[in-house]
Structure formats: C-alpha cells, structure tokens
Amino acid sequence: MQNFQLYEHASTVPVKSYDRQKWQKGYQSLKREFNYLIDDIEGEIPPNLQGTLFRNGPGLLDVNDQKLHHPFDGDGMICSFTFNNGKAYFQNRFVRTKGFVEEQKAGKILYRGVFGTQKPGGWLANAFDLKIKNIANTNVIYWGKKLLALWEAAEPYSLNPNNLATLEMEYFDRVLQEGDAFAAHPRIDPSCEWDDGKPRLVNFSIKPGLSTTITIYELNESGKIVQHHAHSVPGFAFIHDFAITPNYCIFFQNPVTFNPLPYVFGWQGAGQSVKFNPQEATRIIIIPRHSNTAIPGVKILETQSGFVFHHANAFEQDKEIYIDSVCYESLPTVEPNSDYQETDFDALSPGQLWRFVVNLNEQTVRREMLESRCCEFPWVHPAKVGRFHRYLYLGAAHTASGNAPLQAILKIDQVSGERQLWSAAPEGFVSEPVFVPAPDAVNEDDGWIMTLVYDSSRHRSDLVILDARNLHQEPITRLHLKHHVPYGLHGSFTPEVFEIQELRN
C-alpha cells in the first residue's frame, strides 16, 4: 500500500537515526524498587484520565553481575502508573517467583534460560538439567479482580494491584494443573455473543512435540474459566501470540523445527535449538471457539513462509477472515556465542505489517503488505478486538526503510491510507504503544497512546502520552521518571484506580 499521506512529527535527526551505544544503555538492570508521586512533568495530565497502566518486562539482565545471554531470560518486573485526579504515581516491583527468590538468595545463576543463559560451569554443569524457571516477564493484565503476571511457558502469578506484591500462582480453581502453560497474549472479546454480550478473556496454551496440543481457555468477567477445549495439530509449533474473532481463534504455525539434543546435553538453550525452515510454508490454524460455528472443526491452510511473533487483530467480513500481523522473513537466531547488545540491525530483515485473508469455503489464503516500515507491538482500540478496526498503532523505526530499533509510534488509517508518525529519535527508544480510550469517546481514535520511552541522553525513562487522533502534535504529557526502566515487553490499562500503599521513595 504505497499511496498514502505521512504526517511526521520528529526533530531533525541524522540519516541513521540511532547510536547503538546509546541504545545499549537501555539494557542495564534496574535493581531498585520504587514508589513515588511523579512530580517532574511536561505538559498536563488529561483531567479525565483515570486508571492504571501496568507494564511487564525483564528488569534484571544479570544476577549479581553474571550477565544473562538474552533479555528474554530476565526476571519479570512489573511497573504501574496510576492516574487519579490529575496526579500520577509510579511503582515497580519484581515478581517473586520461586527462581527469582532462590537466585537472589544464592547471588548467582541457578537456572538455565530458554534463550541461552547457562549456569556457570560449562556444558557439564548444564547437561540434563531441563528445569524451567518461570520468569513471569512477558505481560501483565488485570482481569476478574486479579492482577496476573504472564509468561507463556508456565502458570500465571497473582499480584496485589495496590503494591505489586507477589501473592501466589494462579490455577483458576484447579482448571490449570501444576506446570500447565497459560500464554502471555490473552485477547479480550469485548462482547461475547455466547455470553449475553459480556466481555470474555480468551487465552491459550501450547504443548509442543511431534504433534502439538493447543488448549483454548475462555474466562468470564469474574475470572472463572467457563470453557476450555484442546486440539492436536501435526508437527512442532512455536506460537507466541494468536488472534480472535467472535467465532474463531487463529494461530500461525511458523515453519520451525526443534532439535532437543543441544539443549539436553547442555550446549545451548531450548530457544536456540529452534530452527527456521524457509523452504516450508507457514500454516494458519483456524479453531472454532464454539461447537455450533458455521464451519466446524479445525482448519489448517498454508501461506508463504515467514515468521510471526505478534498479531494486531483479526475480523470476519464477507465470509472471509482477515488477520493483520507483523511478519518477518525468518526467525532471528540467538547464537550461543553472540551478544544481544551487539545486534547488527542492518543484517536483519525488519518486521513488516501484512494482511492475510482466509477463505474457509474455498480453502485459500491471500496476503498483501500493509506497511513496509520496520514495526512491532501492534495495538488497536480494545472495543475493536475481533472486529473491523480502522486505526492501528505500532512501535516503528524512525526511518521508512531498513531495520532499526523502535524509536517512533506509527498510526495507520486503514480507510484513508493516512499515516502519522511521532518520533523520539535520535536519543529516545519507544516501547509498545497502549491505546487508552477517552471516557467520552465518540470516534475510534478518541483517546491516548501511552508509551514508555527510554531517553538515552539522561539514562532515564519517560511515560509519554500522545493524542491518539494527532500523533504529529507534541505529546500531551511527558512524565519524567527518576531512573530508567529496562526495555520491556507488554502491558495493559485498566480504568481501576488502586490505593497506592507505602510510598517508599
């Protein structure tokens, strides 16, 4: 899609919009836990903004100065920004998982990481140790009056939303068993037709092997699992995210294989043993959410080879299913002797936004590129999940071509083709954009975009609030933190305002 207008707001930056050494500084651990009223503010907090933004990500990139091999192996740290009566409060706290507590007490790495972190002592110290450390570092969501820290390979941890203290592992009245997975990318159906139009949280788990079991869970507003069903699909599946419509759950089975031997013998992590096969097709798995769907049964269709981490949204229209996803040419590999801070962005293909259109009657898939700019972390209005969305927000590179760190927020109008870009380059590096609807919203883009920006010039982070209607304007608010927050992963917003306990700083 090339015929569009781009409204760009950005300072004048060099042709190469980032300095790798400045980007690297965002990968330093934050070892302190804070709780304070944010008093360093540019602009004004919108007076009708009430609620709490939660974010999750790896807060520790080392254990007592023993460096982790990859950030995705880092212990989860929850941040919250509470907005109440024109004021904003910040706090952060590590999830006290079993592994976190043990390693902090021991002062050293005790667990192997999925993405290559090894215990000291070489391969002999790691061979045949297949224990998985639940790091609870990927997402955080408030649902059913519970705050849940999510990591896709294990159970959620329940937290106190007031002070972020870790409470217990969550098993949903024993529907989950010890060791069961619960993915880090739940989707909220804003109006489930099978539940009198009430919202439902839909999530999944993956149990890979020679064949893979996909289990789908649906939770009501009280946080109870009211429906779950399991399906077996052929082959190994590495699936991080999915999409929903009112009738279907959609999964992309990336063309990868898993060789367990290097992992079992302690040579490398489980994630490093996953290899991408470009000569094979990507499979799109369509699973009905309910037994009386018009086209019953699991359907598997093939499309061109590629790798998908994140989906923006899906919707049904004219008897077809549309899925908008960020797609890569291949899976970026994490080599055993590599250093993630030395990433050569120019040598990697960028993530780009693609639309896949599935026709179940004709068993066909067609696709088109919606955005060629390097992008990730897509987000739509929460009321549009599973429905046609006009507007889409993404983290993006500052420059229109090539691969680079995310330094900008991109808005795409699917109807007019207009693009808007707000950029923090050259010193700033953005996180996932979270769309927060305004309480008095009329149009789909009435609301705010919140993104945590690492300011490399000050080694601090800002929460930037943008007018979701006009990204080319100056931010409405910049909330300057007293410290940096390491680059995170995902988060969510709730209109709930929680009582901030024990201002510690």
Side-chain angles (χ1 to χ4, degrees), residues 288-315:
R289 289 175 55 187
H290 305 277
S291 59
N292 54 349
T293 302
I295 301 179
V298 177
K299 306 296 182 186
I300 301 177
L301 296 87
E302 293 187 347
T303 186
Q304 185 173 330
S305 178
F307 193 93
V308 172
F309 279 114
H310 297 124
H311 303 284
N313 196 25
F315 59 92

Side-chain angles (χ1 to χ4, degrees), residues 448-461:
W448 306 282
I449 291 295
M450 295 185 181
T451 185
L452 199 57
V453 179
Y454 172 63
D455 181 353
S456 62
S457 67
R458 300 184 306 133
H459 191 49
R460 293 187 178 185
S461 294

